[in-house]
Amino acid sequence: MQRCHHASASPAGRTSGACDDAPVTSTSHPPHRHSHGHAHSHSHSHGPATPVSAHLRKVIAAVLVPFAAAVVAGLIILWPGGVPPHPHTGLGLDQQTESGRVVKIEELDCPKSGAQPPPSQQQQGAPQPTKGKCEKAEIEVTSGKDKGHTFTEMVQPDASRRYDVGQEVVLAYAPKAPEALRYSVTDVNRTLPMAILAGIFALSVVVVGRLRGVFALVALVISFGVLTMFILPAILQGSDPLLVAVVGGSAIMLIALYMCHGLNARTSVAVLGTLTSLLVIGLLGSFFIDWAHLTGNTDDQTGLVHGLYPEIEIRGLLLAGIIIGSLGVLDDVTVTQTSAVWELKEADPTANWRKLYGSAMRIGRDHIASVVNTLVLAYAGASLPLLLLFSIADSGVSTVATSEIVAAEIVRTLVGSIGLVASVPVTTVLAALVVSADRQTATTGRGRARGGRRRRAK
């Protein structure tokens, strides 16, 4: 059995690194020599290595520090200072609301005046009134100036929403309407179940992720704050939606990545990969939105927002949504690929950047397949009612796919997926070049400083 000695300096200054055929026994390595001979492998047990060479730190900082400064400047310049006020129209979500509670429910025969359909529906194929008992719900207002006031709400037998005594509800308030019609039930109060679900989510993240899970939750809260306090109000104030999305999304990316994964070169490489992919998504999205003549005004909510704030550029809002929607998945892909390269380097310190790139890309291809499929299914699930309507209409595939309401989702999905696919090779090659160059620089410098002793990468 061969025994190989690592290169080391002898007392005479001669370097030895040959293998001999002497058998390896427990007495062939004194304790102090054993510790020295395996210092390299022991250094990996303390966690993944990170680039430490001053040159690479300066190169990465030269790119990211100006970018971070530009993001901070953009936040300051575009900061909206709150949502601009406007008179409530009473349409859709744009209405005043108060809290209420169901205090009594009485079952009775449906009023005869509601049994006959209006003349517009008295035709062949028109839906007929559903037979059965109606429910008369007594609702108490529990907030606002009319607190304690009660009114009745008639629930038809075919209504999709039913009420229970004691149930909390959301009331729409129309101050200019007649007194008997000022309040109506617009939704149920879901605060308690949503709060419990959020608590279960936070607990599971902390239990499994421990301290890193806590940082992830803090980053999530900050991201939501940037979205609600900067991105949405800035767009409503009339700022360019694309510029706002780029600045706000970049701030979210920097905060989330560095808070969750640490301020180190590995995270910085993931940031660079994410930025490059977002640039690809922005350019492709802008080009195909213009080429396909997408207006972005495809639903009632968008139309209402544009009616309240005509200065908002709706097409820019569509592109901003594509960028923000792709950001979360991009972070996952770039961090995974960067970590894969670092771990591969730890497993094989002699691997050059080409070998690291090839190995990490095999991991990335599996990631691409799963992430793209997830993204497409997520958009399909969100648009399922729309897809059902097209199925009912028995429209052809080409007609459905090229209609604006569906084409906008297709462009959103495909542009985001292209950005995800591009992020894998871009991030992988950046990580492979950085980690390989760092090891060569760091080990060469130490080897020269120590007069030829065995080099160890940190």
Side-chain angles (χ1 to χ4, degrees):
M1 181 176 180
Q2 285 189 334
R3 180 179 62 195
C4 298
H5 298 281
H6 293 288
S8 60
S10 64
R14 181 174 54 88
T15 301
S16 62
C19 297
D20 57 45
D21 294 326
V24 178
T25 63
S26 60
T27 60
S28 60
H29 292 284
H32 70 279
R33 189 176 174 186
H34 175 82
S35 175
H36 173 73
H38 291 275
H40 177 68
S41 61
H42 288 177
S43 66
H44 300 318
S45 63
H46 301 292
T50 55
V52 294
S53 63
H55 175 68
L56 280 177
R57 287 200 300 268
K58 291 179 180 178
V59 171
I60 294 174
V63 176
L64 291 182
V65 169
F67 170 73
V71 170
V72 173
L75 289 173
I76 295 174
I77 295 172
L78 298 175
W79 192 262
V83 177
H86 73 279
H88 292 284
T89 63
L91 300 175
L93 297 175
D94 185 41
Q95 53 190 342
Q96 298 183 51
T97 59
E98 299 291 349
S99 300
R101 181 175 60 250
V102 180
V103 295
K104 183 179 179 181
I105 294 179
E106 180 182 356
E107 190 176 87
L108 44 74
D109 293 330
C110 294
K112 293 183 179 180
S113 58
Q116 294 295 326
S120 61
Q121 294 184 3
Q122 293 179 358
Q123 55 185 349
Q124 185 177 3
Q128 299 299 319
T130 303
K131 296 180 180 180
K133 293 286 187 179
C134 287
E135 290 183 348
K136 181 181 178 181
E138 184 176 341
I139 314 295
E140 179 185 2
V141 181
T142 58
S143 67
K145 65 178 183 179
D146 294 325
K147 183 178 181 180
H149 171 75
T150 60
F151 66 96
T152 59
E153 184 97 357
M154 191 65 66
V155 183
Q156 298 294 327
D158 58 346
S160 58
R161 181 184 299 144
R162 319 296 291 186
Y163 301 118
D164 299 316
V165 175
Q167 185 177 20
E168 301 290 334
V169 293
V170 179
L171 308 178
Y173 173 55
K176 296 182 179 181
E179 184 176 355
L181 302 176
R182 288 180 182 175
Y183 290 95
S184 62
V185 178
T186 184
D187 206 348
V188 298
N189 190 324
R190 303 180 179 88
T191 302
L192 181 60
M194 298 298 288
I196 292 177
L197 180 60
I200 295 173
F201 164 73
L203 181 62
S204 62
V205 170
V206 172
V207 169
V208 177
R210 300 185 181 180
L211 183 59
R212 183 162 293 188
V214 174
F215 285 138
L217 290 177
V218 174
L220 178 62
V221 172
I222 295 175
S223 299
F224 186 75
V226 173
L227 179 64
T228 56
M229 298 175 63
F230 172 72
I231 295 178
L232 300 181
I235 292 175
L236 292 177
Q237 291 281 12
S239 299
D240 182 13
L242 178 57
L243 180 60
V244 171
V246 169
V247 174
S250 299
I252 291 174
M253 175 191 63
L254 291 173
I255 293 171
L257 285 180
Y258 283 117
M259 180 170 289
C260 294
H261 304 286
L263 187 63
N264 51 52
R266 176 188 296 194
T267 307
S268 298
V269 172
V271 169
L272 291 174
T274 304
L275 285 176
T276 304
S277 302
L278 285 178
L279 178 61
V280 173
I281 291 174
L283 294 175
L284 284 177
S286 178
F287 176 76
F288 281 100
I289 287 174
D290 289 340
W291 193 13
H293 300 286
L294 299 178
T295 64
N297 192 0
T298 56
D299 52 38
D300 295 338
Q301 288 77 16
T302 305
L304 179 59
V305 170
H306 191 240
L308 294 173
Y309 298 94
E311 65 275 8
I312 294 179
E313 212 284 301
I314 299 297
R315 296 177 70 183
L317 194 62
L318 174 61
L319 182 56
I322 294 175
I323 293 175
I324 295 175
S326 303
L327 184 60
V329 188
L330 274 177
D331 290 350
D332 171 52
V333 173
T334 55
V335 169
T336 299
Q337 287 304 113
T338 306
S339 297
V341 172
W342 252 259
E343 294 302 326
L344 288 169
K345 185 64 175 181
E346 288 298 305
D348 184 6
T350 63
N352 58 25
W353 76 269
R354 290 185 178 86
K355 183 176 180 180
L356 291 174
Y357 175 80
S359 299
M361 278 302 298
R362 286 192 288 272
I363 299 173
R365 292 185 186 100
D366 291 336
H367 206 180
I368 287 173
S370 60
V371 168
V372 169
N373 192 48
T374 300
L375 191 62
V376 171
L377 291 179
Y379 282 124
S383 306
L384 193 58
L386 175 63
L387 298 178
L388 289 174
L389 286 177
F390 279 109
S391 297
I392 294 172
D394 195 23
S395 301
V397 175
S398 60
T399 302
V400 173
T402 56
S403 62
E404 179 170 3
I405 192 169
V406 176
E409 296 301 321
I410 292 177
V411 169
R412 189 195 310 272
T413 303
L414 296 184
V415 167
S417 299
I418 292 172
L420 290 175
V421 172
S423 70
V424 173
V426 169
T427 307
T428 303
V429 72
L430 284 175
L433 290 172
V434 168
V435 75
S436 298
D438 180 76
R439 292 305 191 277
Q440 293 172 2
T441 302
T443 57
T444 300
R446 291 190 185 98
R448 290 174 179 173
R450 296 179 182 181
R453 287 186 295 172
R454 190 182 63 81
R455 299 183 293 271
R456 182 177 66 182
K458 292 183 179 180

